[in-house]
């Protein structure tokens, strides 16, 4: 957006103010002359000559009354014009209140209202962006929920077929159970993300050993990486941090789970924890399928899935990394991804230790 030249506008506003003050003084002076003429005629008609104090008081009161009267008359004739100047702003605010955020006030109005017009346009633009995100979010949620519901409904209906063999019936029931778990996980992640995005979310910060937490979670995942014969390389320096332990547990569980999920049989995953200067670094590296450059910029978006195949067995809800990013933001930490397709992925999490 091109910036408007402010200096000529300020000069024009200053000039208008000066003219206004001069005009106000002129009107007041004219009212004073009018009051003097009226009192002179009045005293001559009544044949009296009061002292100077009485003359001054009467003149001042009459002067103020004339000035107020002139002001009321001018306001009466200019009221409709002022209302017309305010009308575009009133109409814009009404449209925003009714949910129409496609408001863009004419920039010409800014010569009169300045930052007020810019502010209304900015608010409307931000609300419009939020509305687009809301619509996109609803669409994505509907899509993700519809898929498992369709599977559950279809296979449940197929179970009514009495000619199904025991093996087919068992396989259909396993699919229904699997899709129900996937639906439950989507719901759980949505609740987590909604809670994390709450404005007044409080972190339960406390000091604890990060290396102990990472080691415990790696051992908890042992059945998964042992089943795929993955070589785990663990290098954990003894580090204590002040953070929300439960939240960070979600982060490590998600990142480790993704590394195991997308690493081929016989691959390798390394987890390294170290302190560099005033920073605590956690690096989780795998030799998995990798992420393309264009997808690396979007992996923290809600419902985005970097796997183009979107395989049901291997694909999640697309909310895990969005939750990770939100937790990192709440801790004022940084998460960076480096990856090459077919070579693997490294997630680097950086915490700044404060005194």
């Amino acid at each position: 957006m091109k910036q408007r030249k402010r200096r000529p506008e300020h000069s024009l506003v200053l000039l208008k103010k000066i003219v206004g003050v001069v005009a106000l003084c002129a009107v007041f002076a004219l009212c004073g002359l009018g009051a003097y003429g009226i009192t002179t005629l009045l005293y001559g008609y009544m044949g009296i000559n009061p002292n100077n104090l009485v003359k001054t008081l009467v003149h001042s009161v009459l002067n103020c009354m004339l000035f107020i009267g002139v002001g009321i008359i001018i306001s009466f004739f200019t009221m409709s014009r002022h209302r017309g100047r305010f009308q575009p702003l009133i109409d814009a605010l009404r449209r925003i209140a009714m949910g129409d955020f496609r408001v863009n006030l004419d920039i010409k109005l800014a010569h009169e209202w300045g930052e007020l017009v810019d502010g209304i346009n900015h608010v409307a633009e931000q609300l419009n962006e939020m509305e687009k995100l809301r619509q996109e979010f609803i669409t994505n949620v509907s899509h993700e929920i519809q898929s498992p519901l369709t599977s559950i409904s279809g296979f449940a209906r197929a179970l009514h077929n009495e000619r199904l063999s025991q093996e087919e019936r068992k396989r259909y029931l396993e699919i229904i159970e699997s899709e129900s778990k996937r639906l439950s996980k989507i719901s759980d992640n949505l609740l987590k993300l909604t809670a994390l995005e709450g404005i007044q979310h409080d972190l339960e910060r406390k000091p604890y050993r990060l290396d102990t937490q990472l080691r415990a979670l790696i051992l908890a995942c042992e059945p998964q990486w042992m089943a795929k014969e993955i070589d785990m390389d663990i290098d954990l320096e003894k580090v204590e941090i002040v953070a929300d332990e439960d939240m960070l547990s979600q982060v490590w569980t998600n990142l480790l789970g993704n590394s195991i999920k997308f690493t081929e049989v016989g691959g390798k995953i390394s987890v390294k924890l170290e302190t560099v200067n005033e920073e605590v670094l956690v690096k989780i590296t795998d030799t998995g399928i990798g992420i393309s450059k264009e997808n690396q910029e979007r992996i923290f978006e809600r419902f985005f899935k970097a796997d183009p195949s979107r395989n049901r067995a291997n694909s999640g809800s697309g909310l895990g990394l969005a939750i990770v990013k939100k937790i990192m933001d709440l801790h004022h930490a940084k998460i960076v991804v480096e990856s090459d397709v077919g070579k693997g992925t490294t997630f680097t999490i950086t915490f700044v230790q404060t005194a």
Side-chain angles (χ1 to χ4, degrees), residues 173-268:
L173 288 171
E174 288 175 349
I175 292 173
I176 291 173
E177 183 180 8
S178 174
E179 293 296 83
S180 298
K181 288 180 179 178
R182 189 158 78 98
L183 190 60
S184 176
K185 187 175 181 181
I186 291 172
S187 175
D188 183 53
N189 283 337
L190 281 172
L191 289 173
K192 286 179 182 177
L193 196 57
T194 302
L196 290 171
E197 289 180 342
I199 297 175
Q200 299 297 330
H201 192 91
D202 295 324
L203 298 179
E204 296 182 8
R205 296 178 183 270
K206 62 180 180 180
Y208 74 96
R209 285 275 298 276
L210 181 56
D211 57 300
T212 303
Q213 182 187 41
L214 285 168
R215 188 173 289 106
L217 291 173
I218 292 169
L219 290 174
C221 296
E222 184 176 5
Q224 286 80 32
W225 51 264
M226 284 291 289
K228 298 182 75 172
E229 300 178 358
I230 294 174
D231 178 22
M232 298 294 293
D233 180 16
I234 311 301
D235 182 10
L236 304 177
E237 182 181 320
K238 291 183 179 180
V239 175
E240 184 177 89
I241 65 170
V242 178
D244 190 312
E245 187 174 0
D246 290 337
M247 279 194 183
L248 289 190
S249 177
Q250 296 180 47
V251 171
W252 313 131
T253 300
N254 188 284
L255 294 178
L256 287 169
N258 283 348
S259 292
I260 295 170
K261 182 190 299 183
F262 295 110
T263 298
E264 302 294 336
V265 174
K268 181 179 179 179

Side-chain angles (χ1 to χ4, degrees), residues 105-148:
L105 290 171
D106 192 343
I107 202 69
K108 294 179 180 178
L109 290 172
H111 291 294
E112 277 189 283
W113 306 114
E115 294 183 2
L116 178 60
V117 172
D118 290 339
I120 292 176
N121 283 339
H122 180 70
V123 167
E125 183 181 352
Q126 294 299 312
L127 288 173
N128 194 39
E129 289 297 319
M130 290 178 63
E131 178 64 16
K132 288 179 181 177
L133 289 174
R134 187 182 73 85
Q135 293 291 344
E136 182 182 356
F137 180 76
I138 292 173
T139 301
N140 287 329
V141 170
S142 299
H143 176 271
E144 292 297 327
I145 290 178
Q146 188 62 37
S147 178

Side-chain angles (χ1 to χ4, degrees), residues 28-127:
F28 192 78
L30 289 173
C31 289
L33 289 174
Y36 178 78
I38 291 172
T39 53
T40 300
L41 291 174
L42 185 63
Y43 296 151
Y45 178 77
M46 297 178 65
I48 58 174
N49 186 24
N51 59 47
N52 290 334
L53 177 60
V54 173
K55 284 183 178 180
T56 302
L57 289 174
V58 173
H59 178 269
S60 299
V61 171
L62 187 57
N63 188 6
C64 290
M65 291 176 64
L66 288 174
F67 186 73
I68 293 171
V70 171
I72 292 173
I73 293 171
I74 293 173
S75 298
F76 178 77
F77 285 105
T78 59
M79 189 177 298
S80 59
R81 186 168 67 88
H82 283 299
R83 188 181 295 127
R85 291 166 62 192
F86 276 106
Q87 200 59 46
L89 302 180
I90 295 171
D91 291 342
L93 292 173
R94 281 176 178 168
R95 286 174 60 188
I96 292 173
M98 294 176 67
D100 181 5
F101 306 126
R102 295 167 297 177
V103 171
N104 187 19
L105 290 171
D106 192 343
I107 202 69
K108 294 179 180 178
L109 290 172
H111 291 294
E112 277 189 283
W113 306 114
E115 294 183 2
L116 178 60
V117 172
D118 290 339
I120 292 176
N121 283 339
H122 180 70
V123 167
E125 183 181 352
Q126 294 299 312
L127 288 173

